[in-house]
């Protein structure tokens, strides 16, 4: 396969992944429950470019816009020593599975140390890992109360984390919703009563009703 064909293949995968990312992840807030604790997680459009693993001169905003509109050109991406083709393709295959992992069995990793970055949390299905951090402003102050998915690693990262916990529940809601409305995953050994009390106060009446019965 020629370099141009490699790029065209990658662009097609990016466009497909962008649609799934936009329709199923962006604009929603996800709640992961594990070890009797929870964190809230966002998938932001500005991080999509980095998750693909390709190199480009396009800004994160324009890259995402072009991918969504299927206007991203093969000439606008490339592969190099820092963004090798084989690794980028593996990341792109995983990128299409992010939405699936956000509603299925997974593990929460705590305190992940990679060669270039440290992350407070990450989630993995044993095939790839999504690393999360808290966004900060120009002065380095933490902004907001949610973790944001910042990196996709083509590894499970178990050996790079300080602790590992099974995720017992995953819930979601629209960013503009006050309460969580959907249970995307619940471990077979878990029940609705297993929600921490603080989480129960974050659930919609429809989700709370079975717990009250």
């Amino acid at each position: 396969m020629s370099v141009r064909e490699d790029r065209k293949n990658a662009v097609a995968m990016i466009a497909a992944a962008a649609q799934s990312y936009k329709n199923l992840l962006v604009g929603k807030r996800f709640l992961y429950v594990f070890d009797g604790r929870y964190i809230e997680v966002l998938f932001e459009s500005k991080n999509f470019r980095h998750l693909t693993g390709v190199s480009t001169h396009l800004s994160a905003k324009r890259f995402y816009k072009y991918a969504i509109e299927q206007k991203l050109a093969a000439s606008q991406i490339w592969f190099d020593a820092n963004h090798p083709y084989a690794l980028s393709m593996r990341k792109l295959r995983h990128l299409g599975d992010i939405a699936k992992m956000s509603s299925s069995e997974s593990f929460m990793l705590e305190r992940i140390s990679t060669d270039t970055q440290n992350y407070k949390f990450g989630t993995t299905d044993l095939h790839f890992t999504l690393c999360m951090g808290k966004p900060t402003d120009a002065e380095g102050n933490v902004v907001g109360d949610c973790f944001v998915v910042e990196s996709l690693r083509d590894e499970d990262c178990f050996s790079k984390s300080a602790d590992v916990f099974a995720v017992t529940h995953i819930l979601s809601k629209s960013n503009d919703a006050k309460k969580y409305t959907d249970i995307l995953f619940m471990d077979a050994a878990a029940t609705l009563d297993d929600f921490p009390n603080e989480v129960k106060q974050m659930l919609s009446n429809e989700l709370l009703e079975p717990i009250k019965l």
Side-chain angles (χ1 to χ4, degrees):
M1 187 177 292
S2 69
V3 172
R4 178 167 177 77
E5 289 174 330
D6 286 344
R7 291 183 179 182
K8 288 178 65 176
N9 188 28
V11 164
M13 295 177 71
I14 290 170
Q19 292 300 320
S20 174
Y21 194 83
K22 174 180 181 291
N23 295 333
L24 301 175
L25 301 172
V26 175
K28 294 184 178 181
R29 182 177 292 209
F30 295 81
L31 187 146
Y32 287 78
V33 180
F34 59 96
D35 188 40
R37 298 179 284 158
Y38 73 91
I39 61 171
E40 293 182 276
V41 178
L42 297 175
F43 293 83
E44 296 187 339
S45 58
K46 66 180 181 181
N47 291 325
F48 178 79
R49 181 189 65 177
H50 180 68
L51 299 179
T52 66
V54 304
S55 188
T56 179
H57 285 315
L58 295 174
S59 67
K61 181 178 180 180
R62 191 171 296 275
F63 182 92
Y64 181 70
K65 181 176 185 294
Y66 284 179
I68 290 296
E69 297 176 351
Q70 299 187 36
K71 293 179 179 179
L72 187 65
S75 60
Q76 293 174 315
I77 69 166
W78 66 88
F79 309 99
D80 51 33
N82 293 323
H83 304 85
Y85 173 74
L87 178 58
S88 295
M89 292 303 289
R90 292 199 301 272
K91 285 191 173 188
L92 288 176
R93 294 187 187 99
H94 295 319
L95 190 56
D97 292 332
I98 289 181
K100 180 180 178 181
M101 190 171 77
S102 68
S103 59
S104 59
E105 183 179 11
S106 60
F107 296 90
M108 185 62 66
L109 310 180
E110 189 168 15
R111 299 193 304 280
I112 304 169
S113 297
T114 71
D115 294 336
T116 58
Q117 186 77 32
N118 294 322
Y119 298 94
K120 175 62 176 175
F121 290 109
T123 184
T124 182
D125 65 353
L126 305 184
H127 297 101
F128 68 98
T129 300
L130 297 175
C131 296
M132 310 164 186
K134 283 281 187 76
T136 57
D137 58 22
E139 284 72 42
N141 300 310
V142 172
V143 179
D145 55 354
C146 288
F147 285 87
V148 175
V149 173
E150 297 178 340
S151 179
L152 189 159
R153 309 280 300 188
D154 180 46
E155 54 187 333
D156 60 45
C157 288
F158 270 63
S159 62
K160 297 181 178 181
S161 63
D163 259 316
V164 180
F165 307 95
V167 173
T168 57
H169 307 76
I170 304 175
L171 298 90
S172 74
K173 66 173 183 175
S174 297
N175 278 342
D176 56 358
K178 293 183 178 180
K179 302 281 187 176
Y180 279 91
T181 56
D182 298 290
I183 298 177
L184 304 181
F185 168 78
M186 184 165 66
D187 185 82
T191 69
L192 294 176
D193 289 318
D194 292 333
F195 284 118
N197 289 330
E198 189 174 356
V199 170
K200 290 179 181 178
Q201 299 177 30
M202 302 165 69
L203 306 183
S204 66
N205 289 332
E206 290 76 13
L207 293 183
L208 278 174
E209 197 59 37
I211 299 176
K212 294 176 181 178
L213 296 177

